[in-house]
Amino acid sequence: MLAELFAAAAEVCRDRSPLTHRLLDDAADDLRRGGVTARVMAGSERDREGTVPGLRFAGAVHRLVLEGRAQGLARHYPTVGGRPDLPTLWRDALPVLEDHVDLVRQQVQATVVQTNEPGRSAPLYGGLLVAAQEAAKAAGRTVPFCVRLLEVGASGGLNLRPHRVGYRLEDTVLGDRDSPLVLDPEWTGRPPADLTHRLRVVGRAGCDLHPVDVSTEDGRLHLSSFVWADQLPRWDRLRAALDLAATDPVEVERSAGPEWLAGQLARAERDVLTVVWHSVVWQYVSPADRAMGRAVLADAAMRATPTTPLALLVFEPRRADDGYRFELLLKLWPAGISLNLGHGAGHGTPFTWSVTPWE
């Protein structure tokens, strides 16, 4: 079973990260033979699919490279200046795994996959502009609402700064043009909003069962290890997002989503749009917490007023004819607006704006 989960994770990476694909494909074969990977993964044999043990393994190996503990393997990893040679990758990985069986096993068992991908700020930013302006129209206002952003499953909180990021569109930059993080959102189409309006964020908070403190070296290494090492644009985005976080700290509280959200939503701020947000986290949430979260949100939605509106804005994978598609979904209360704003890659870019009802 574990070998099949590794093989499935490898297939996901096939066209996007040849290095990770090859590492996990060879590791799957090694698992079937009862090789060193079986010893590394001892104790994780019954891990469920949603915990993606293959990606946890790949992240643990990448972390060894980043920490300088895998010199023979480092030559394959572009994040430390290497260049992949796929036919010899597994040959060079084997002695590293043999030398660090206990360390890699400990890392695999102690960690959860957390990419906290900064590229997702691009569709979030557009979605927030739409939400603030649509809520204002529904309330008969001419000026968009200020936004209070609440993120469930915030990890290191890197996407709690959408107003502090720059978004390059042709010959202009939206958002903060002086930000250390300037994204090319790779938009097809545009958000159904007036892009000349500035997004005003007046409050931010986040929670996570396993929050990452990005002010520490351990926290930065944790997030860095889950970047596929041959995707240097993602690596560069993360480094810039970490630099931004250092200048604008936001605490992420250790808490389960429903309880934390209930506390946050117990108070409403007049003339502020409260936006509940999460991205690529739903698959990790238990059925019980999903149900509780929906109930908390439904209760808050009933209390929403034109001067204290509420929004749900999520970027999550949904089933489609060809598998899964990452969609940006928006609900607004009490306006009764429910929109599918478009779809994009799992890391947020590229993104296609295509507005339809959220059904």
Side-chain angles (χ1 to χ4, degrees), residues 60-71:
V61 173
H62 190 191
R63 178 157 181 159
L64 286 180
V65 172
L66 294 175
E67 291 176 330
R69 299 173 185 262
Q71 295 301 321

Side-chain angles (χ1 to χ4, degrees), residues 23-38:
L23 177 72
L24 292 181
D25 204 43
D26 286 341
D29 288 340
D30 190 59
L31 275 169
R32 296 184 185 102
R33 295 191 298 267
V36 64
T37 312

